[in-house]
Amino acid sequence: MPLSKDERYEKMKEIRDELLNFTESPLHKYRTENKYFPVVGEGSHLASIMFIGEAPGKNEAETARPFCGRSGKLLDEMIASIGLKREDVYITNIVKDRPQDNRDPSPEEIRLYAPFLDRQIEIIEPKVIATLGRFSMDYVMNMFNLWDVLDSISNMHGREFTATASYGDIVIVPLYHPAVALYNGSNKETLLNDFQILKKYV
Ligand code: URA
């Protein structure tokens, strides 16, 4: 049975409290030294579509909101192109703390933070997961036992992969990370086209 709205809220709050004290992570010290926040996620806990990015950047770690910088503005634009608002979907990342100097998340950081993401998926029970960038694509495809079809993001983006979650069927749609579309018009067009696949799940 899906959780009620209040139960979902409580469980997300538990995740936030655990992340605040997540001293096992090498990023915890960097976070506290810089007065950053962990970025749990944002949006509707009842969403059908869940977007999963990589890790918070500086803006995100300062505000505790995912995708609130330039990539976020583009993500909002893409979400609007399918007739939705940020509040209608759920947006999160695999890694919940900012890696130093915007570097890629390490395999160890992904391993440490992924159980929080797994729990968020179980709480929200999305019908569709749209991954943003290759780190979340790799993680989510493996998580749903789709390793045999896993390929480079240039071959995977904009396609739909069906899998079975603990609560029923789920569709995974790998997308390019909005950052790759920021300065390149043709990448932006590709991302916009790929996004239209999500329309049927709105
Ligand atoms: N890039 C990400 O992958 N996630 C964010 O929250 C912001 C930028």
Side-chain angles (χ1 to χ4, degrees), residues 67-84:
F67 284 96
C68 65
R70 273 180 304 179
S71 299
K73 203 158 167 276
L74 185 57
L75 179 61
D76 289 346
E77 218 182 284
M78 297 289 153
I79 293 172
S81 80
I82 54 166
L84 293 178

Side-chain angles (χ1 to χ4, degrees), residues 71-168:
S71 299
K73 203 158 167 276
L74 185 57
L75 179 61
D76 289 346
E77 218 182 284
M78 297 289 153
I79 293 172
S81 80
I82 54 166
L84 293 178
K85 297 200 192 68
R86 179 179 269 254
E87 308 86 89
D88 300 320
V89 299
Y90 191 80
I91 306 172
T92 188
N93 290 299
I94 313 186
V95 169
K96 312 296 190 190
D97 281 304
R98 181 186 182 211
Q100 295 90 335
D101 306 319
N102 291 341
R103 62 165 170 73
D104 288 342
S106 71
E108 172 64 0
E109 286 156 2
I110 292 175
R111 189 188 64 75
L112 276 169
Y113 286 93
F116 295 103
L117 175 65
D118 296 354
R119 282 161 61 191
Q120 289 177 299
I121 294 171
E122 291 297 314
I123 294 168
I124 295 187
E125 302 196 347
K127 283 199 234 122
V128 185
I129 291 181
T131 58
L132 299 167
R134 68 189 161 93
F135 292 98
S136 56
M137 175 186 80
D138 286 353
Y139 179 74
V140 171
M141 291 294 286
N142 280 313
M143 174 185 177
F144 287 105
N145 302 325
L146 293 168
W147 54 78
D148 52 333
V149 289
L150 189 55
D151 199 348
S152 65
I153 192 157
S154 53
N155 289 329
M156 302 274 290
H157 74 93
R159 293 168 57 194
E160 292 167 90
F161 299 89
T162 43
T164 310
S166 62
Y167 53 87

Side-chain angles (χ1 to χ4, degrees), residues 53-57 60 66-67 93 177:
E54 288 174 11
E60 289 77 18
F67 284 96
N93 290 299
H177 194 284

Side-chain angles (χ1 to χ4, degrees), residues 1 17 26 32 43 45 98-99 128 136 144 150 170 172 176 182:
M1 250 257 291
D17 292 345
T32 48
H45 294 162
R98 181 186 182 211
V128 185
S136 56
F144 287 105
L150 189 55
I170 186 161
I172 320 292
Y176 280 122
L182 269 182

